[in-house]
Amino acid sequence: MEPPLIRDWPGSLDVGGLAADSVEQARRAVERVAGLRGIDAEVGTSAALIVGAFDAIGHLRIDGRPAPGWAPLSGFVEAADGWVRLHGNFPHHAEAIRASLQVGGPEELAAAVSRLPAAQVEERVQAAGGIATVVRSPAQWEQHPHHRATCDVPWHRVLPGAERRVLGAAQDVPLQGVRVLDLTRVIAGPVCSQLLGCLGSEVLRIDPPHCPEVLEHHLSTGMGKRSAQLDLGKHLDVLHEHLLPGADVVLLGYRPGSLDRFGLAPAGLAQRFPHLVIGSLSAWGEHGPWGSTAGFDSIVQAATGIASVCGGEDGRPGALPVQALDHSSGYLLAARVIDLLADARGGRVHVNLLGAARELLRRAVPERADGDALREDDTAQAGNAIDAGAGGAGPDSGGAGPATVDLDTPHGRVRTVPVPLTLDGAPISGPIAEYGTARPHWDGGASGAVPPSVTG
């Protein structure tokens, strides 16, 4: 099956191709594992489903209300000699911006940054534990020390490990009986675990009580999983004596090295639990000057030149129409994790957003049938080019929007989008559980009962 052609997103970079190819990797992996487990079902996808899934946060409605936009201190800010991009959606990152630049709100931030070189803003905010980058052109990024140190690092790398149990026959869903411990947040990792959960895995997501996830992120990527809070500093025994031995897959999405003190360094984890399939996500890769630096899709776009390429004629930088680096990396990670499960192998899968950015910068926008490239002024016509596929349009979208699902959740009535795959033509979704209230143990008691107090 060829990936569907997506022409919904304007611009000079082939975002649609990147999205379709990553989902196709996942589709092939699911098709393979389903066949190995005796499930006679056609695994499909469509352009409409992919377009909807890659803008899940944009389609999210909570009791009819859309998700709020960027936080006040997030976004592009003009410096004395260029532009910077800041990320302040989490309270501790916003505080780092305020403290490092001695500002309060957006107006003070704009004034302070306008007086400083962009590189100095980046340095100050990063030194305070915040998230910031100079907005660079692709040529400028190629001169950056981190690019030079990591230019040969691929988007994803698979290190097969020891033999593990063979997945037996399954009834209806391809990943029935697979347990996934999800230690990721924001978009890429939760996108991966959501797909695994909607395909039948038992997914348990763990978050630290002192740093909860943004609720809208949980709701837009939370189908098919349970959500628990666990202070690993106080309850490391729960992790190593109950959760890890009972898991089949562990997903790690925090800053490289930040979970090592809990025994969660990928290499050491694979050595102690050789049966595990370990997925490790990072923004910048795991070595080089920024190898232990946190980052987000928007920040990687700005640093590598994507924001420059997407900029306007007035010199202001721009952004991709969706968080394509995150979503494509999440689906690619899911594909490689499923491949190892199908191979009956443990091992490690390493995926980084920087690799997705490099891949996208190599891709030019595809030409239309008339020979012209799809640009911003084609946006109005692009919606008509959606492959109706299995997903079709939403129930009240007038035939033009993505498929949607309405779910009753503890957080209200949620409208979201299904994952971008189908089984026998039917879109796939799952329930959304209450954030942070599940007990941190596996269903069925195989890992042993855990007292409710461990969530403290």
Side-chain angles (χ1 to χ4, degrees):
M1 179 183 293
E2 289 295 319
L5 178 63
I6 297 174
R7 288 178 165 173
D8 284 58
W9 297 316
S12 58
L13 298 174
D14 186 13
V15 179
L18 185 79
D21 288 350
S22 65
V23 172
E24 175 62 13
Q25 293 287 318
R27 189 201 67 78
R28 291 177 183 176
V30 174
E31 182 177 63
R32 178 174 171 239
V33 78
L36 289 173
R37 306 193 74 184
I39 297 175
D40 184 18
E42 181 181 355
V43 182
T45 186
S46 73
L49 284 172
I50 296 170
V51 168
F54 271 62
D55 192 22
I57 194 72
H59 297 296
L60 181 69
R61 298 293 182 271
I62 308 167
D63 290 331
R65 301 186 304 273
W70 292 94
L73 300 185
S74 293
F76 295 109
V77 185
E78 191 168 12
D81 59 351
W83 291 82
V84 295
R85 176 125 199 183
L86 306 174
H87 197 289
N89 284 16
F90 285 96
H92 60 294
H93 291 151
E95 179 55 33
I97 294 170
R98 286 191 288 265
S100 61
L101 300 176
Q102 296 295 297
V103 299
E107 292 184 1
E108 290 183 20
L109 175 66
V113 171
S114 71
R115 296 189 292 267
L116 297 172
Q120 189 173 338
V121 175
E122 176 187 274
E123 181 180 354
R124 282 191 187 182
V125 175
Q126 288 186 1
I131 310 293
T133 185
V134 174
V135 176
R136 296 174 174 86
S137 68
Q140 289 170 330
W141 175 249
E142 288 178 359
Q143 301 305 311
H144 192 275
H146 189 72
H147 169 80
R148 292 180 171 180
T150 62
C151 59
D152 294 330
V153 175
W155 182 7
H156 74 283
R157 183 168 56 112
V158 179
L159 301 172
E163 292 184 1
R164 51 164 284 116
R165 70 179 178 92
V166 175
L167 296 180
Q171 289 287 329
D172 303 310
V173 284
L175 296 182
Q176 178 183 352
V178 173
R179 287 173 169 176
V180 179
L181 183 61
D182 182 9
L183 295 161
T184 69
R185 58 197 296 130
V186 191
I187 299 178
V191 159
C192 172
S193 60
Q194 176 175 255
L195 180 60
L196 301 180
C198 289
L199 291 168
S201 296
E202 179 188 351
V203 177
L204 177 62
R205 172 170 168 165
I206 301 290
D207 281 296
H210 64 278
C211 189
E213 176 66 285
V214 175
L215 179 61
E216 290 76 20
H217 288 165
H218 166 68
L219 296 177
S220 66
T221 58
M223 292 187 296
K225 53 180 109 169
R226 292 183 295 129
S227 168
Q229 292 185 325
L230 183 67
D231 186 337
L232 296 182
K234 296 179 180 179
H235 302 290
L236 203 55
D237 58 323
V238 176
L239 177 68
H240 286 276
E241 296 174 17
H242 298 277
L243 297 179
L244 291 172
D248 297 291
V249 176
V250 175
L251 301 177
L252 305 170
Y254 288 76
R255 177 177 55 82
S258 61
L259 299 182
D260 290 5
R261 67 188 186 278
F262 302 122
L264 290 170
L269 195 57
Q271 197 168 35
R272 185 177 176 196
F273 299 100
H275 73 284
L276 286 177
V277 176
I278 301 162
S280 179
L281 275 163
S282 64
W284 308 104
E286 297 172 10
H287 72 276
W290 284 6
S292 60
T293 301
F296 297 96
D297 183 308
S298 59
I299 297 296
V300 177
Q301 287 186 43
T304 59
I306 291 174
S308 175
V309 172
C310 295
E313 294 182 359
D314 59 357
R316 182 180 179 85
L320 297 175
V322 292
Q323 303 275 295
L325 310 183
D326 263 327
H327 286 274
S328 58
S329 295
Y331 292 119
L332 185 62
L333 176 63
R336 298 291 86 87
V337 164
I338 295 170
D339 282 341
L340 284 176
L341 291 171
D343 292 339
R345 286 278 182 186
R348 290 182 280 152
V349 181
H350 295 265
V351 177
N352 61 87
L353 303 188
L354 180 56
R358 290 195 182 110
E359 175 63 25
L360 182 59
L361 285 166
R362 286 193 287 264
R363 292 171 176 248
V365 73
E367 290 190 347
R368 303 186 311 191
D370 59 11
D372 292 332
L374 186 68
R375 303 292 180 181
E376 282 82 350
D377 57 359
D378 293 310
T379 305
Q381 290 78 26
N384 299 325
I386 298 177
D387 171 13
D396 57 358
S397 63
T404 59
V405 291
D406 292 318
L407 303 170
D408 288 318
T409 81
H411 302 284
R413 182 75 167 169
V414 170
R415 171 165 291 188
T416 187
V417 291
V419 299
L421 296 181
T422 60
L423 290 177
D424 282 336
I428 306 167
S429 60
I432 298 175
E434 186 172 4
Y435 177 77
T437 59
R439 294 175 65 201
H441 69 88
W442 299 114
D443 281 347
S447 298
V450 179
S453 61
V454 301
T455 58

